[in-house]
Amino acid sequence: MIRIILVSLFVILFLICSIPLLIVEHFIGKWNMDVKSRSSLAIVNWAFRCVLFLSGVTVTVLGEENVPQDTPVLYIGNHRSYFDIVMTYVRVPRPTGYIAKSGMLKVPLLSHWMKNLHCLFLDRTDIKQGMKTILEAVEKVKSGISVCIFPEGSRSTEPDVFLPFHGGSFKIAEKSGCPIIPMSINNASQIWEDHLPRIKKTHVVIEYGKPIYMAEMDKTEKRRISITVQETIKEMYFKNKELV
């Protein structure tokens, strides 16, 4: 239980002590939004690295050379744990907004940091609002911000079972022209979700696949993009099971 206590205390203290930083970031944003984005990225990266250290999580990363450094991308990954966000965010080379559930807006201070990091909030029960969020994500990418989404919609609770990928997620890449980076995550649920409330020392494997460009696809390939990307992620996932 010591790890869950340490992580909880750190997160609470960070959020409280970061109030002055949020104020500073607010004024930085009025002067230069790019500086604000990158400073917020650095601050939250530090906090997430502390969370991983306190949790005893070690991560093996494969295929990181497949992530373009000079252009925003759409990360598409499988979803097993809240730690998926923590582990992948510390790897991003540029400001990146995650698409999260609208319920996260109710979390004080955390939601402010998420907004600073260009996160968008999706209400899956409201189709019209959902499309608006996707279009906002397109504009984020066009402005140079990468976007990450877990298109299963919720965390899969069954071992090695993938939920269907929602096709709307891929409109972000289609309308912005950015590359899709498939991202497989192995063993993440062993950190916390598989034995709540304890956090266990865990080894996780993350692999980034080669970029996929929808602009190079014909109409049939575009219609199958959600299946193609999920199959790519599944291939990496099952290949890497022996590494955890």
Side-chain angles (χ1 to χ4, degrees), residues 150-169:
F150 301 104
E152 288 170 289
S154 60
R155 290 176 291 107
S156 176
T157 57
E158 296 295 326
D160 301 336
V161 173
F162 285 68
L163 301 177
F165 279 12
H166 294 281
S169 308

Side-chain angles (χ1 to χ4, degrees), residues 39-60:
S39 58
S40 292
L41 172 65
I43 292 167
V44 174
N45 262 345
W46 173 82
F48 280 176
R49 290 181 187 279
C50 290
V51 168
L52 293 175
F53 173 77
L54 294 172
S55 302
V57 176
T58 57
V59 181
T60 295

Side-chain angles (χ1 to χ4, degrees), residues 62-193:
L62 306 173
E64 204 160 19
E65 68 278 3
N66 291 322
V67 181
Q69 303 291 305
D70 57 350
T71 187
V73 304
L74 173 65
Y75 296 98
I76 296 284
N78 61 302
H79 198 21
R80 293 291 186 275
S81 170
Y82 285 112
F83 276 82
D84 293 339
I85 299 168
V86 179
M87 293 183 293
T88 56
Y89 198 81
V90 299
R91 314 299 310 186
V92 298
R94 63 191 304 120
T96 301
Y98 280 60
I99 295 185
K101 293 180 179 179
S102 57
M104 297 300 294
L105 281 167
K106 299 177 182 178
V107 183
L109 299 177
L110 176 60
S111 59
H112 288 80
W113 279 111
M114 292 178 73
K115 290 176 182 177
N116 278 6
L117 297 169
H118 303 281
C119 291
L120 298 170
F121 302 90
L122 180 63
D123 182 356
R124 296 191 183 275
T125 63
D126 187 334
I127 296 176
K128 185 177 179 180
Q129 185 62 34
M131 283 306 301
K132 181 181 178 182
T133 302
I134 295 299
L135 292 175
E136 288 175 351
V138 171
E139 293 306 312
K140 291 284 187 185
V141 174
K142 288 181 176 179
S143 69
I145 307 296
S146 290
V147 170
C148 180
I149 188 168
F150 301 104
E152 288 170 289
S154 60
R155 290 176 291 107
S156 176
T157 57
E158 296 295 326
D160 301 336
V161 173
F162 285 68
L163 301 177
F165 279 12
H166 294 281
S169 308
F170 298 90
K171 293 293 183 183
I172 300 170
E174 184 177 9
K175 292 183 178 295
S176 69
C178 75
I180 298 169
I181 302 296
M183 183 173 64
S184 74
I185 305 172
N186 284 73
N187 212 36
S189 62
Q190 274 295 312
I191 302 171
W192 189 42
E193 281 77 5

Side-chain angles (χ1 to χ4, degrees), residues 176-234:
S176 69
C178 75
I180 298 169
I181 302 296
M183 183 173 64
S184 74
I185 305 172
N186 284 73
N187 212 36
S189 62
Q190 274 295 312
I191 302 171
W192 189 42
E193 281 77 5
D194 287 351
H195 37 71
L196 294 170
R198 293 183 301 128
I199 289 178
K200 289 179 60 177
K201 185 177 181 180
T202 306
H203 176 229
V204 175
V205 177
I206 298 174
E207 182 170 4
Y208 299 93
K210 293 182 179 180
I212 297 172
Y213 295 87
M214 290 189 70
E216 299 175 356
M217 296 180 169
D218 59 31
K219 290 183 179 180
T220 301
E221 291 173 321
K222 287 180 179 179
R223 284 196 295 268
R224 285 182 48 83
I225 185 62
S226 61
I227 297 172
T228 299
V229 173
Q230 187 177 68
E231 288 176 347
T232 300
I233 292 171
K234 281 183 177 181

